[in-house]
Amino acid sequence: MSDPEQFSLSMSDADALMWNIEKDPLLRSTIVTVNRLDRDPDWDRLVDKIDVGAQLIPRLRQRVVTPFLHAGPPHWSADPNFDLSYHLRRLRAPEPATFDTVLELARTAAMAGFDRARPLWEFMVVEGLADGSAALIMKVHHSITDGVGGMRLAMMLYDTERDREASAPAGDPTPLPLLAPLGLLVRAVDHNRRRVLGIVRRSFGQARAVGEAMFRDPRGTVEQAAAVGKSVA
């Protein structure tokens, strides 16, 4: 199983931005993919496969927790009420049960926000299409993975051979840290302290570089600074 320590508990600035703008329907960072299957999958086997995947990939069992008073970046915490049946669902395709029906379901899923108290992913199996096929709609928040990571995730979760041996039953999941908004205040203070020190160090380094450049080429440095100021304006 994957070591939870390999997955950072603190969101990066980019992921935190995508998480915070999630509240605006026009700015949601949701990845939705549609996989076409040649027939209805074996439901029990699929559930077992995804269950094993959720044990191997900690992010699938973690939800987002924000420090008290938003004092620092959001963190990934274990979901104490993780329920696979919420994240993996199945339904019979409504009429006319064509692939366009599946695409419409995917569009609706893409427009809907995530439950912010749960892990940020949802899979939906659409069975009973008119041509005998089926589909799997995957919905994942961009803070969990990007497009390339999503493809790697799919390769871990799905079999590429029809008669491949079933996955081994999932054992007890690797324990994940359970965080609370108030308890994250200490982490937030330490995070902000390290960020300020980093800014100060970089500022001194940049000031020194500018001073050396002014000494070597005063005119060129001034002209470059003027060009940058004009570009910013």
Side-chain angles (χ1 to χ4, degrees):
M1 294 188 177
S2 298
D3 183 355
E5 295 303 324
Q6 295 177 352
F7 292 78
S8 174
L9 294 179
S10 176
M11 272 192 175
S12 67
D13 290 340
D15 289 344
L17 174 63
M18 289 184 287
W19 167 248
N20 289 323
I21 65 176
E22 170 74 16
K23 298 177 183 178
D24 188 332
L26 298 178
L27 300 175
R28 284 177 178 150
S29 301
T30 304
I31 299 173
V32 176
T33 63
V34 178
N35 299 277
R36 192 162 191 171
L37 312 176
D38 63 350
R39 67 183 186 186
D40 293 350
D42 182 325
W43 178 250
D44 291 336
R45 183 169 180 175
L46 178 61
V47 170
D48 289 342
K49 185 73 174 177
I50 303 301
D51 190 21
V52 172
Q55 312 307 330
L56 296 174
I57 306 171
R59 280 287 183 267
L60 300 184
R61 293 182 285 123
Q62 292 176 312
R63 64 189 183 99
V64 179
V65 176
T66 302
F68 185 63
L69 298 178
H70 296 269
H75 281 64
W76 296 100
S77 169
D79 179 6
N81 302 308
F82 177 73
D83 182 359
L84 183 63
S85 65
Y86 173 84
H87 298 276
L88 177 60
R89 311 168 191 171
R90 67 194 298 199
L91 59 83
R92 300 295 295 180
E95 295 295 334
T98 63
F99 194 65
D100 285 341
T101 304
V102 176
L103 295 180
E104 185 60 33
L105 290 171
R107 280 191 287 269
T108 301
M111 291 186 291
F114 286 96
D115 184 340
R116 297 172 73 86
R118 297 177 182 269
L120 305 178
W121 64 279
E122 299 171 10
F123 293 174
M124 180 191 302
V125 177
V126 184
E127 302 174 325
L129 295 180
D131 60 359
S133 64
L136 176 61
I137 301 173
M138 297 174 56
K139 176 182 174 182
V140 181
H141 194 271
H142 206 298
S143 61
I144 289 183
T145 185
D146 56 15
V148 175
M151 293 302 297
R152 292 177 178 172
L153 173 65
M155 293 303 294
M156 289 183 65
L157 296 178
Y158 308 138
D159 293 330
T160 56
E161 303 171 10
R162 183 184 299 278
D163 299 321
R164 190 170 182 176
E165 292 184 7
S167 303
D172 294 332
T174 303
L176 299 173
L178 183 61
L179 307 176
L182 193 59
L184 286 175
L185 273 178
V186 175
R187 286 176 176 262
V189 170
D190 182 62
H191 170 83
N192 291 329
R193 178 185 61 80
R194 287 185 284 107
R195 169 171 286 186
V196 170
L197 288 176
I199 292 174
V200 171
R201 282 195 292 265
R202 288 193 297 271
S203 298
F204 275 118
Q206 292 168 357
R208 179 179 178 181
V210 171
E212 292 175 349
M214 283 290 292
F215 180 77
R216 293 193 303 268
D217 183 11
R219 181 177 178 179
T221 302
V222 172
E223 290 177 349
Q224 184 179 10
V228 171
K230 182 179 179 181
S231 176
V232 171

